[in-house]
Amino acid sequence: MTSEERPPIVELSPEQCWKYLEKTFHGRLAVSVANRPSIYPLNYYAHDGVILFRTSPGTKLAELAVNDHVAFEADGILSDQAWSVVVQGTTRLLEAQSEIEAADNLPLQPWVRTLKYRYVEIQPETITGRFFNLGPEPERYPEEM
Amino acid sequence: MTSEERPPIVELSPEQCWKYLEKTFHGRLAVSVANRPSIYPLNYYAHDGVILFRTSPGTKLAELAVNDHVAFEADGILSDQAWSVVVQGTTRLLEAQSEIEAADNLPLQPWVRTLKYRYVEIQPETITGRFFNLGPEPERYPEEM
């Protein structure tokens, strides 16, 4: 197919979405308090159907304590292709020592040299993704033949 | 300064945030309906203190009609540095023909070859940004000297 023949948007299956999430380590978390959304960039690790991230006590954890419904997005962009996966679900703070020790052994690094002790898991309810074949838009007002 | 001496996180001024936004064209919009957040990737164009994007009638526009409070994020990641800017504000659908014609002349392209006729403007209330010097985390339990 030439680039003009490729469909501009392809819906990804949940399996395809997980493959993209598992090979990516940087995403964004959207939370909402009193119906006002906030968004945070974060490093994450996707494995076994959940998304794990680390954080320190602060605004993000406080907001999740008020409303644990979240949306999470990761994407990748090349010159002529892009993908984006969105997860909606709820968060859970890891509290059992055995869970925390298991998480300590995952390849999940914080972004910067700060101490981030708390692990939060996103438990997905829905996962959707799209693959984009980038290209110029069609003529808005095509000339008559 | 060596990499160990650089502060891991630097807060950006609003002016620095706008410079990052203006040289970037891909971000994510967080919206909330009934206190449930959603997140959408989008192409945008930042100019004159506002953020403009195009969309077609659909879920995103319907959600904004219910709650026009949004958060918007753009970021950039290199091997040892990263930045992220977050805007919180409200959205407004461009409706005046003169505004739409002016927007038509901006370098704002949709991501894919679909027809997206509606312009939406994010009017910022707050803008915050951070620059990250990436690096390994400090020792969690430093050994006693």
Side-chain angles (χ1 to χ4, degrees):
Chain A
M1 283 194 288
T2 68
S3 63
E4 285 69 31
E5 289 167 337
R6 284 195 293 264
I9 299 177
V10 180
E11 299 290 330
L12 302 176
S13 69
E15 292 72 26
Q16 290 172 315
C17 289
W18 280 108
K19 281 188 182 166
Y20 277 111
L21 286 189
E22 287 170 2
K23 70 180 186 183
T24 310
F25 300 96
H26 176 250
R28 297 105 201 144
L29 184 75
V31 305
S32 180
V33 171
N35 216 18
R36 300 289 178 99
S38 303
I39 188 165
Y40 299 96
L42 47 78
N43 271 11
Y44 74 93
Y45 183 69
H47 73 120
D48 298 335
V50 298
I51 293 161
L52 196 71
F53 64 92
R54 290 169 60 165
T55 191
S56 48
T59 305
K60 195 164 28 183
L61 269 187
E63 290 181 338
L64 293 174
V66 174
N67 180 8
D68 67 357
H69 289 276
V70 298
F72 171 86
E73 193 259 4
D75 56 42
I77 306 167
L78 298 171
S79 61
D80 62 346
Q81 299 179 335
W83 62 269
S84 169
V85 170
V86 173
V87 168
Q88 291 190 285
T90 54
T91 55
R92 181 177 75 87
L93 185 65
L94 301 199
E95 295 189 287
Q97 192 58 33
S98 59
E99 286 186 310
I100 293 169
E101 285 170 8
D104 271 339
N105 289 320
L106 295 173
L108 174 64
Q109 294 297 319
W111 228 8
V112 293
R113 304 182 307 280
T114 57
L115 290 172
K116 294 192 170 179
Y117 286 97
R118 313 305 295 272
Y119 288 103
V120 178
E121 186 180 87
I122 302 172
Q123 299 178 309
E125 290 168 0
T126 64
I127 181 164
T128 56
R130 291 186 296 174
F131 182 88
F132 303 88
N133 284 303
L134 307 183
E137 66 184 316
E139 283 294 318
R140 191 178 302 193
Y141 308 110
E143 295 198 24
E144 290 184 11
M145 299 292 280
Chain B
M1 283 193 290
T2 68
S3 63
E4 284 68 33
E5 289 168 337
R6 284 196 294 264
I9 299 177
V10 180
E11 299 289 332
L12 301 176
S13 70
E15 293 71 26
Q16 290 171 313
C17 290
W18 280 108
K19 281 189 183 167
Y20 278 112
L21 287 189
E22 286 170 4
K23 70 180 185 183
T24 309
F25 300 96
H26 176 251
R28 297 103 201 147
L29 184 75
V31 304
S32 180
V33 171
N35 215 17
R36 300 288 178 100
S38 303
I39 188 164
Y40 299 97
L42 47 78
N43 270 12
Y44 73 94
Y45 182 69
H47 72 121
D48 297 336
V50 298
I51 292 161
L52 195 71
F53 65 92
R54 289 169 63 167
T55 190
S56 48
T59 305
K60 195 163 29 184
L61 269 187
E63 291 180 337
L64 293 174
V66 174
N67 180 9
D68 67 356
H69 288 277
V70 298
F72 171 85
E73 192 259 5
D75 56 42
I77 305 168
L78 298 171
S79 61
D80 63 345
Q81 298 180 335
W83 62 270
S84 169
V85 171
V86 173
V87 169
Q88 290 190 284
T90 55
T91 56
R92 181 177 76 86
L93 185 65
L94 301 199
E95 295 189 287
Q97 192 58 33
S98 60
E99 285 186 312
I100 292 169
E101 285 170 8
D104 271 339
N105 290 319
L106 295 174
L108 174 63
Q109 295 296 319
W111 229 8
V112 293
R113 304 182 307 280
T114 56
L115 290 171
K116 294 192 170 180
Y117 285 97
R118 314 304 297 270
Y119 288 103
V120 178
E121 187 180 87
I122 302 172
Q123 298 179 308
E125 290 168 0
T126 65
I127 182 166
T128 55
R130 292 186 295 173
F131 182 88
F132 303 88
N133 283 303
L134 307 184
E137 66 184 317
E139 284 293 319
R140 192 179 299 194
Y141 307 110
E143 296 197 24
E144 291 185 11
M145 299 292 281

